[in-house]
């Protein structure tokens, strides 16, 4: 045996030590991977808890717009949302939306924001704010999209109301200015026509009797119309004046009459007859309320009646004392297009219908509720609708 040669058992011993070292290294790597896996699971659970705690909708889409992840708020609404196409389940469509932001993000790898009004499906009539963001895999390839959606319907409704309030304020300011300018010439017309009538009465021998009769009739018409215009101007001024939030005892019959006077000519032009039943004023109790707000309610409801009768018809207003409350009914031959009928205590509001009809039932409802009143409506088959409003009578 040469000095360089080693016994076989020495080589085997070296191989054994080498394998032991290798196994130790493998076990160490496995332990590191297990720790890493535990850490990944912990972070995954943290992220999932964060997503599920959000009231906003978080969705992850694959390149074919299939939903591969949805947070809890969506799964509560759609238990089988995973695997569905986003456009089918969210928008009730059978094909990809026009200018789909998710596809634009897939194409450009950019983030997009926007708002959308849903017109189909279970979310019809609701507004959403959305954001699409690209998700890249570890190799830098974009293969998923994060879709974030937030329901902003209430905010949009508030914005619409503010816009409407601004417009009303502008119209009110304009009406107040016009009314002020018209008042002086109207006073002159009414005064001079009265003067001419008195002068005519003091000249019994003036002109032939037939001409005098015509002259007198024309002057009376001028005088009557001047005072009618004066009443309209006064109503406009009262309607457009900036009111405080103070409540006072007001006559509901007078408020309805003043409101009707504003639109009577418009009703005549639209072949719509407005009928005030006799018991509207006689013996009617008073209510504690804000006159301007109550006029706004009746003007809105009458305006709605106009919109439902394109070919003319009737609007009937009636009021009666009902125990310690006052009940007002507005019925029309127009077709009811609000969802309903409703029951006392229900809120007859529907954002999309409010926008379509231009009449804010929600605002009317809130004003009536602030007056401790109640508001509901019924549809009459083939005969139009009936709005019913109840206010507690003032005890003063």
């Amino acid at each position: 045996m040469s000095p360089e040669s080693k016994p076989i058992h020495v080589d085997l011993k070296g191989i054994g030590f080498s394998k032991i070292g290798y196994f130790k290294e493998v076990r160490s790597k496995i332990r590191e991977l297990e720790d890493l896996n535990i850490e990944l699971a912990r972070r995954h659970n943290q992220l999932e808890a964060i997503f599920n705690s959000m009231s906003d909708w978080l969705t992850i889409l694959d390149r074919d717009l299939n939903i591969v992840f949805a947070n809890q708020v969506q799964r509560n609404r759609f238990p089988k949302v995973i695997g569905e196409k986003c456009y089918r389940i969210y928008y009730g469509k059978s094909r990809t939306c026009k200018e789909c932001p998710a596809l634009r993000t897939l194409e450009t790898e950019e983030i997009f924001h926007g708002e959308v009004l849903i017109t189909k499906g279970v979310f019809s009539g609701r507004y959403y704010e959305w954001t699409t963001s690209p998700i890249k895999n570890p190799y830098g390839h974009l293969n998923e999209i994060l879709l974030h959606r937030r329901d902003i319907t209430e905010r949009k409704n508030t914005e619409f109301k503010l816009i409407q309030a601004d417009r009303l304020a502008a119209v009110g300011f304009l009406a107040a200015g016009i009314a002020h300018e018209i008042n002086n010439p109207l006073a002159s017309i009414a005064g001079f026509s009265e003067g001419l009538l008195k002068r005519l009465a003091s000249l019994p021998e003036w002109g032939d009797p037939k001409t005098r009769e015509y002259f007198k009739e024309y002057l009376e018409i001028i005088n009557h119309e001047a005072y009618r215009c004066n009443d309209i101007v006064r109503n406009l001024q009262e309607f457009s004046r900036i009111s405080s939030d103070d409540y006072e005892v007001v006559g509901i019959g007078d408020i309805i009459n003043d409101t009707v006077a504003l639109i009577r000519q418009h009703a005549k032009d639209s072949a719509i007859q407005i009928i005030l039943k006799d018991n509207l004023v006689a013996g009617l109790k008073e209510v504690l309320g804000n006159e301007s707000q109550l006029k706004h309610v009746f003007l809105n409801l009458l305006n709605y009646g106009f919109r439902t009768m394109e070919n003319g018809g009737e609007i009937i207003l009636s009021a009666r004392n009902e125990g310690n409350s006052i009940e007002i009914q507005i019925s029309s031959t127009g077709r009811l297009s609000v969802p309903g009928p409703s029951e006392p205590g229900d809120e007859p509001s529907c954002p999309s219908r409010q926008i379509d009809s231009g009449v804010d039932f929600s605002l009317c409802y809130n004003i009536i509720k602030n007056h401790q009143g109640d508001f509901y409506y019924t549809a009459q088959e083939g005969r139009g609708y009936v709005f019913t409003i109840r206010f507690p009578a003032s005890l003063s």
Side-chain angles (χ1 to χ4, degrees), residues 196-232:
L196 285 173
L197 282 169
K198 289 179 181 175
R199 185 73 61 88
L200 186 64
S202 65
L203 299 171
E205 304 301 327
W206 182 79
D208 62 275
K210 193 172 182 179
T211 303
R212 282 177 57 84
E213 189 61 31
Y214 282 136
F215 199 70
K216 181 172 180 290
E217 182 182 352
Y218 293 161
L219 283 174
E220 286 174 345
I221 291 173
I222 292 171
N223 187 258
H224 173 76
E225 293 300 312
Y227 276 107
R228 193 171 72 86
C229 290
N230 187 61
D231 289 340
I232 294 172

Side-chain angles (χ1 to χ4, degrees), residues 23-312:
F23 287 138
K24 283 184 178 179
E25 185 177 352
V26 170
R27 289 176 59 186
S28 175
K29 292 293 183 185
I30 291 174
R31 195 175 296 113
E32 288 180 10
L33 288 173
E34 288 176 344
D35 291 342
L36 184 59
N37 192 41
I38 292 171
E39 180 64 17
L40 285 174
R42 188 180 68 82
R43 294 190 179 186
H44 174 271
N45 292 337
Q46 285 180 339
L47 285 175
E48 191 164 8
I50 293 171
F51 291 160
N52 289 334
S53 67
M54 297 174 66
S55 58
D56 295 350
W57 288 25
L58 283 176
T59 310
I60 295 178
L61 308 173
D62 65 14
R63 297 188 67 89
D64 296 324
L65 304 183
N66 294 310
I67 298 172
V68 296
F69 172 81
N71 62 344
Q72 188 64 43
V73 67
Q74 293 183 77
R75 296 200 298 272
N76 291 340
R77 186 65 185 266
F78 303 108
K80 297 181 179 179
V81 67
I82 304 300
E84 292 284 347
K85 298 287 187 183
C86 61
Y87 51 81
R88 183 177 300 138
I89 198 160
Y90 295 145
Y91 308 113
K93 296 183 177 180
S94 58
R95 60 180 64 182
T96 307
C97 302
K98 187 180 180 181
E99 299 182 356
C100 171
L103 292 180
R104 289 169 62 197
T105 295
L106 280 172
E107 182 181 350
T108 62
E109 300 188 2
E110 294 180 358
I111 299 173
F112 293 99
H113 308 275
E115 296 176 0
V116 63
L117 169 64
I118 308 297
T119 57
K120 290 184 178 179
V122 294
F123 302 108
S124 176
R126 302 202 71 81
Y127 284 89
Y128 285 91
E129 186 179 69
W130 54 262
T131 301
T132 54
S133 305
I135 302 176
K136 294 184 178 180
N137 64 17
Y139 305 103
H141 299 143
L142 193 159
N143 58 353
E144 290 179 331
I145 301 295
L146 175 65
L147 171 62
H148 170 250
R149 298 202 315 167
R150 175 176 296 165
D151 190 337
I152 56 170
T153 306
E154 296 303 321
R155 192 186 82 191
K156 297 297 288 187
N157 285 339
T158 303
E159 289 176 359
F160 287 138
K161 288 177 183 175
L162 286 174
I163 293 171
Q164 186 183 36
D166 285 344
R167 287 177 178 171
L168 285 174
V171 171
F173 183 78
L174 185 63
I178 292 174
H180 179 74
E181 293 299 323
I182 288 178
N183 251 342
N184 290 335
L186 277 179
S188 298
I189 293 170
F192 283 121
S193 59
E194 280 183 357
L196 285 173
L197 282 169
K198 289 179 181 175
R199 185 73 61 88
L200 186 64
S202 65
L203 299 171
E205 304 301 327
W206 182 79
D208 62 275
K210 193 172 182 179
T211 303
R212 282 177 57 84
E213 189 61 31
Y214 282 136
F215 199 70
K216 181 172 180 290
E217 182 182 352
Y218 293 161
L219 283 174
E220 286 174 345
I221 291 173
I222 292 171
N223 187 258
H224 173 76
E225 293 300 312
Y227 276 107
R228 193 171 72 86
C229 290
N230 187 61
D231 289 340
I232 294 172
V233 168
R234 179 179 55 81
N235 284 332
L236 272 176
Q237 287 176 316
E238 289 183 2
F239 200 87
S240 59
R241 71 185 168 89
I242 299 173
S243 65
S244 67
D245 293 331
D246 296 336
Y247 282 17
E248 55 188 355
V249 177
V250 293
I252 205 75
D254 294 335
I255 290 175
I256 294 175
N257 277 322
D258 289 347
T259 308
V260 169
L262 284 174
I263 59 171
R264 192 173 288 282
Q265 187 59 43
H266 180 40
K268 188 177 179 182
D269 296 341
S270 305
I272 294 173
Q273 187 178 7
I274 299 179
I275 301 171
L276 301 177
K277 287 199 170 179
D278 292 338
N279 57 355
L280 185 62
V281 178
L284 199 61
K285 295 178 179 177
E286 295 177 313
V287 301
L288 185 64
N290 183 293
E291 184 175 331
S292 179
Q293 292 181 10
L294 292 174
K295 283 182 178 177
H296 186 86
V297 169
F298 292 117
L299 189 64
N300 248 315
L301 296 179
L302 291 171
N303 185 36
Y304 177 77
F306 277 49
R307 291 171 180 270
T308 61
M309 292 186 288
E310 295 180 354
N311 299 316

Side-chain angles (χ1 to χ4, degrees), residues 296-297 300-301 360-369 375:
H296 186 86
V297 169
N300 248 315
L301 296 179
D360 194 340
F361 288 102
S362 178
L363 185 59
C364 293
Y365 176 82
N366 288 332
I367 291 175
I368 293 169
K369 295 306 287 184
F375 175 40

